[in-house]
Amino acid sequence: MPMNRRLVLTAVTLASLHFAISHAADPALPDLKGRSIVAVTENAYLPLNFKDPKTGASVGWEYDVFNEIAKRLNAKVDWKLTSWDTMIEAVRKGQFDVGMDGITIKDDRKKQVDFSDAYMVSEQFMMVRGNEKRFTDAKSFKGNAKLLVGAQSGTTNFYTAVYEVLDGNEKNPRIKLYDTFGLSMQALKAGDVDTVLSDGVSAQGYVKAFPGVYKVVGQPMGREEFGFIFKPGSDLVKPVNAALKQLKADGTLKKFDQKWFVDYKLNQ
C-alpha cells in the first residue's frame, strides 16, 4: 500500500499478464522440493485478498495466484497476516519470505525489498457513494471545501489525494486517515467522508460486491504496477518470476481475472 493502488478494471489495465494451465510439474521451472514459503498479506483488499464474510475463509486473486505459483514450483505456502504499515519492513527483515497486498513497484521501495516482475497494472480513481451528485471529478471535488477524502496513511491512495486531488499539503484537514483501506470504505458508506481513492482492482471489487452503494467518478490518475516483495537477495525471486511468466503465457492469470473481477459475488 504505500503508494500502491490504481483503478478501472474496465480499462483496468489488468496487465495481469496471462496463460492454459499445466498442472503437471514443468521441467522448465525450478523444483523447490516441497519447500515451505511463508507468505504474508493484510487480508483486507478486496478482491485481491480478504476474508469471505460467508465462509470466513481467506480468499482472493493473490491467494489463488501465489498458491498456483507455489504448486508449479513444488512448494507449499504458509499464509500469515500482518498490517500494511509493518509489512514491507517485516519482509525486509526476513520475518516472511514473500509479501503481497497490491504493492506498487517503486524505486524507493526497491531500496528496501526485492520485487517480482509485475503481475498487474492498475490506475487510481475516485470512489464515491452511489447517490453522489455534488461533484463528478477531482476538480469539482477540490473546489468544494466541505468535501472530505478518506485514506490510509502512506499509501498511493493518500499521496494521490494529496497531490492530484487537493493542494499538495499532506496535513490538509480535508484528509481523514484510517488504519485500513476497508475502514476508509466504511467511512465513505456512512457519509463520514465523501470520496476514497482506489485502484481499478479494488474499486471494481467494491462496485460489483455492493451494487448501488458505491460508484466511480472522474478520470484515471496515473498508472502503477503491482509486484510481490521479498527480502533483499532472496533466492525465491527468480523461481517466482519464472512461474509467473508461465502463468501469464498460458492463460492462468486471465482465468483468475475472470473468477475474481467478473464472476465473483461477495454475497453469493
Side-chain angles (χ1 to χ4, degrees):
M1 313 168 22
M3 317 284 290
N4 77 289
R5 308 195 179 211
R6 297 218 200 259
L7 170 190
V8 147
L9 250 164
T10 330
V12 134
T13 326
L14 256 189
S16 274
L17 317 105
H18 310 116
F19 307 353
I21 260 179
S22 167
H23 289 296
D26 188 329
L29 293 178
D31 184 347
L32 298 187
K33 303 183 185 303
R35 175 175 173 178
S36 179
I37 299 174
V38 182
V40 67
T41 187
E42 188 180 30
N43 214 37
Y45 187 29
L46 188 154
L48 290 187
N49 55 75
F50 62 104
K51 183 178 181 180
D52 188 295
K54 184 176 180 180
T55 66
S58 295
V59 297
W61 191 95
E62 287 179 335
Y63 282 108
D64 279 1
V65 170
F66 201 82
N67 282 336
E68 181 65 23
I69 286 173
K71 180 179 180 180
R72 296 192 184 196
L73 295 173
N74 188 19
K76 300 176 182 178
V77 187
D78 180 11
W79 288 99
K80 304 293 185 182
L81 302 180
T82 194
S83 64
W84 162 252
D85 56 0
T86 64
M87 187 181 300
I88 292 179
E89 179 64 10
V91 172
R92 186 188 72 79
K93 290 181 176 179
Q95 294 176 20
F96 309 103
D97 297 318
V98 59
M100 63 202 77
D101 204 20
I103 303 174
T104 303
I105 300 173
K106 296 175 59 65
D107 288 341
D108 60 336
R109 290 186 186 146
K110 288 180 179 179
K111 297 176 182 178
Q112 304 174 66
V113 291
D114 286 348
F115 276 94
S116 69
D117 293 336
Y119 60 75
M120 188 177 289
V121 177
S122 193
E123 298 170 301
Q124 287 263 320
F125 278 75
M126 299 176 73
M127 293 287 292
V128 300
R129 289 182 291 280
N131 61 357
E132 181 58 71
K133 297 180 180 179
R134 294 168 299 171
F135 61 96
T136 57
D137 55 20
K139 183 177 180 180
S140 53
F141 179 90
K142 182 179 180 180
N144 186 340
K146 295 181 180 180
L147 300 176
L148 304 177
V149 57
Q152 185 179 8
S153 182
T155 64
T156 294
N157 308 348
F158 170 79
Y159 291 108
T160 302
V162 169
Y163 295 101
E164 298 193 39
V165 177
L166 297 174
D167 58 2
N169 175 13
E170 295 184 14
K171 302 294 185 180
N172 193 311
R174 292 178 62 183
I175 301 177
K176 301 302 179 183
L177 298 179
Y178 296 90
D179 290 337
T180 69
F181 179 76
L183 287 176
S184 69
M185 290 301 293
Q186 291 178 28
L188 175 61
K189 181 180 179 180
D192 297 331
V193 296
D194 304 294
T195 190
V196 171
L197 300 192
S198 171
D199 56 63
V201 173
S202 191
Q204 180 76 0
Y206 272 91
V207 170
K208 189 171 180 294
F210 303 98
V213 177
Y214 302 107
K215 65 181 180 181
V216 172
V217 299
Q219 298 300 310
M221 290 174 275
R223 178 182 184 279
E224 292 184 339
E225 296 181 332
F226 297 164
F228 302 118
I229 61 171
F230 304 85
K231 178 181 178 180
S234 171
D235 63 350
L236 286 172
V237 177
K238 288 185 178 180
V240 167
N241 281 344
L244 183 59
K245 183 178 180 180
Q246 189 181 83
L247 267 64
K248 293 173 185 178
D250 70 14
T252 301
L253 291 193
K254 190 172 184 179
K255 182 193 75 169
F256 289 136
D257 291 348
Q258 178 73 28
K259 174 181 177 179
W260 292 107
F261 301 121
V262 179
D263 296 338
Y264 181 78
K265 292 181 175 58
L266 190 63
N267 298 310
Q268 52 194 356

